[in-house]
């Protein structure tokens, strides 16, 4: 179509008609997402979450993916919202704000938010701007107006992050800065956050080292004992040496070896060959399960994310629908 040949009224009609089609397609997208979410079929394709699937498998931006997930999950609770989306009465950003506020109420007050409450707030959002919606949703749930976290990666890979803290959260951080002022003698929040991150990482590494039991008696000579304090030496330790420690329990040494070799989820979709590679909630899985006489030998161990570990368990147990 030659758009240049259209007069302004025809262009006006055309954009309104296309916008309506777009909303109808959006509704179909959300219904499809609802079904995918219920079946968790993205796990089979090698993704650890619906969000990962939409961003890396389907091609949505992170924000678009999250808004669609929020809306699809709201449709499950409130099927009546579909009509409001189709008519354009409410949009995805508004739904996302309501869902985010509900999560905040659950997180901070351990209180539940009913579908009726969500519907009540949505009823009054028709045609409201983003700012007006923010105010109205915050007032309804008695929450401070939340600003989303803004992240921008620079050319040198440094990252600019902007986020808003509640008065209470900010006071806690100031208090922590005062307590640690001898170690971090600056008010710079970025320096303080890096210090905290270093501390957590060091503590975690130290704890693993302390807990790793070394069963000298099970080794024929001291020379064969893996030096678990030195990660680079772990690569030299053969599976047999480490496994001789004991087969009855999964040792911390074996856990460290397997996490060093496999720092992410190893689930592979046999059709596409895609490996999940998620680093969230990693767990050690026995390829052949313990209840099926699977051993604690390194060759029988693999790292999976919690979602894929659960999927594997459900499959083995013959449970079809997972939640
Ligand atoms: Zn995974």
């Amino acid at each position: 179509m030659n758009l240049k040949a259209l007069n302004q009224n025809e262009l006006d009609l055309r954009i309104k008609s296309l916008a309506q089609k777009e909303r109808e397609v959006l509704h179909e997208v959300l219904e499809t997402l609802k079904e995918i979410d219920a079946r968790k079929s993205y796990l089979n394709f090698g993704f650890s979450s619906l969000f990962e699937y939409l961003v890396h498998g389907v091609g949505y931006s992170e924000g678009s993916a999250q808004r669609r997930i929020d809306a699809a999950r709201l449709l499950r609770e409130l099927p009546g919202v579909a009509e409001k989306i189709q008519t354009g009465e409410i949009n995805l950003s508004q739904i996302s704000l309501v869902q985010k506020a509900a999560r905040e109420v659950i997180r901070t007050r351990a209180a539940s938010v009913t579908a009726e409450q969500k519907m009540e707030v949505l009823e009054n959002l028709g045609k409201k701007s983003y700012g007006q919606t923010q105010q109205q949703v915050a007032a309804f749930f008695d929450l401070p107006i939340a600003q989303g976290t803004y992240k921008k990666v620079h050319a040198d890979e440094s990252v600019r992050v902007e986020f808003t803290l509640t008065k209470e959260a900010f006071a806690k951080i100031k208090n922590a800065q005062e307590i640690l002022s001898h170690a971090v003698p600056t008010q710079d929040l970025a320096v303080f956050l890096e210090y905290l991150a270093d501390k957590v990482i060091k503590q975690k590494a130290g704890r693993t080292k302390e807990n790793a039991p070394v069963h000298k008696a099970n080794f024929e000579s001291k020379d064969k004992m893996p030096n678990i304090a030195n990660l680079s030496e772990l690569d030299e330790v053969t599976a047999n040496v480490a496994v001789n420690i004991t087969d009855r329990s999964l040792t911390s040494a074996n856990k460290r070896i397997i996490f060093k070799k496999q720092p992410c989820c190893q689930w592979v979709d046999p059709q596409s060959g895609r490996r999940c590679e998620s680093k969230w909630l990693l767990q050690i899985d026995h390829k052949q399960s313990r209840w099926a006489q699977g051993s604690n030998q390194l060759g029988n161990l693999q790292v999976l994310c919690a979602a894929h570990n659960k999927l594997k368990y459900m499959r083995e147990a013959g449970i079809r629908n997972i939640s």
Side-chain angles (χ1 to χ4, degrees):
M1 175 180 279
N2 180 9
L3 294 176
K4 296 216 179 298
L6 299 183
N7 65 35
Q8 61 177 12
N9 290 335
E10 287 167 335
L11 278 174
D12 179 52
L13 283 176
R14 181 172 166 77
I15 192 65
K16 283 176 180 161
S17 152
L18 286 173
Q20 182 52 39
K21 278 189 204 154
E22 198 176 22
R23 285 193 288 270
E24 279 159 22
V25 170
L26 174 63
H27 175 235
E28 284 180 48
V29 166
L30 296 179
E31 289 292 344
T32 309
L33 277 188
K34 199 173 83 175
E35 187 61 25
I36 290 173
D37 194 26
R39 291 193 208 175
K40 296 197 188 301
S41 43
Y42 50 85
L43 290 176
N44 294 307
F45 303 144
F47 296 93
S48 62
S49 66
L50 183 56
F51 178 80
E52 289 289 313
Y53 171 63
L54 291 185
V55 173
H56 300 293
V58 182
Y60 282 115
S61 69
E62 292 182 1
S64 297
Q66 190 56 56
R67 283 192 291 277
R68 278 155 185 77
I69 292 170
D70 281 342
R73 288 182 179 161
L74 187 73
L75 276 184
R76 199 164 56 192
E77 280 181 82
L78 294 167
V81 169
E83 202 188 317
K84 289 181 182 295
I85 295 171
Q86 274 174 310
T87 58
E89 191 184 327
I90 55 171
N91 59 46
L92 287 188
S93 299
Q94 293 176 304
I95 291 175
S96 215
L97 283 172
V98 172
Q99 293 286 64
K100 211 187 280 179
R103 284 196 291 270
E104 193 61 13
V105 169
I106 293 165
R107 188 180 73 80
T108 56
R109 297 182 205 148
S112 59
V113 175
T114 63
E116 288 72 31
Q117 284 176 299
K118 289 183 186 178
M119 198 60 191
E120 196 183 329
V121 68
L122 284 166
E123 291 286 2
N124 298 310
L125 296 181
K127 309 282 184 197
K128 293 261 161 66
S129 70
Y130 189 80
Q132 289 169 325
T133 303
Q134 263 188 323
Q135 283 183 348
Q136 206 154 318
V137 171
F140 184 88
F141 289 110
D142 192 20
L143 290 168
I145 294 178
Q147 306 283 335
T149 299
Y150 169 79
K151 224 169 35 179
K152 187 178 179 196
V153 182
H154 296 157
D156 64 355
E157 294 187 21
S158 62
V159 183
R160 177 166 183 82
V161 183
E162 276 178 35
F163 53 87
T164 303
L165 296 167
T166 60
K167 189 178 153 197
E168 293 76 19
F170 188 62
K172 274 191 239 175
I173 289 181
K174 293 307 283 178
N175 191 7
Q177 279 186 303
E178 284 158 11
I179 293 168
L180 293 171
S181 57
H182 61 284
V184 194
T186 167
Q187 298 278 340
D188 191 326
L189 198 52
V191 177
F192 185 64
L193 282 178
E194 189 179 357
Y195 173 82
L196 289 184
D198 280 340
K199 237 182 149 44
V200 170
I201 292 164
K202 266 185 210 153
Q203 262 176 14
K204 177 85 181 157
R207 201 176 303 144
T208 314
K209 224 183 281 177
E210 280 163 28
N211 293 348
V214 179
H215 300 268
K216 290 184 187 179
N218 286 2
F219 287 92
E220 284 171 21
S221 76
K222 216 179 163 191
D223 298 332
K224 284 187 181 174
M225 198 156 47
N227 181 358
I228 54 172
N230 185 347
L231 273 177
S232 64
E233 286 186 30
L234 289 177
D235 290 334
E236 308 300 321
V237 178
T238 64
N240 286 338
V241 172
V243 165
N244 280 343
I245 297 171
T246 171
D247 192 44
R248 273 170 299 175
S249 62
L250 185 53
T251 63
S252 297
N254 271 7
K255 282 185 194 169
R256 290 192 76 205
I257 291 168
I258 202 80
F259 276 126
K260 170 98 166 80
K261 284 188 172 173
Q262 302 177 1
C264 57
C265 177
Q266 301 298 304
W267 179 277
V268 176
D269 170 15
Q271 279 183 340
S272 67
R274 185 186 193 281
R275 194 179 298 273
C276 169
E277 295 185 352
S278 169
K279 291 184 176 172
W280 283 95
L281 301 173
L282 293 180
Q283 299 172 341
I284 292 182
D285 169 62
H286 293 81
K287 290 179 192 168
Q288 185 177 346
S289 298
R290 290 295 279 160
W291 52 263
Q293 280 78 53
S295 76
N296 278 317
Q297 294 192 5
L298 283 179
N300 191 44
L301 302 177
Q302 64 177 345
V303 171
L304 293 179
C305 68
H308 278 125
N309 205 4
K310 187 173 179 186
L311 176 71
K312 181 170 173 278
Y313 165 75
M314 294 303 221
R315 280 187 177 177
E316 285 170 355
I319 302 168
R320 289 191 64 186
N321 292 322
I322 63 174
S323 56

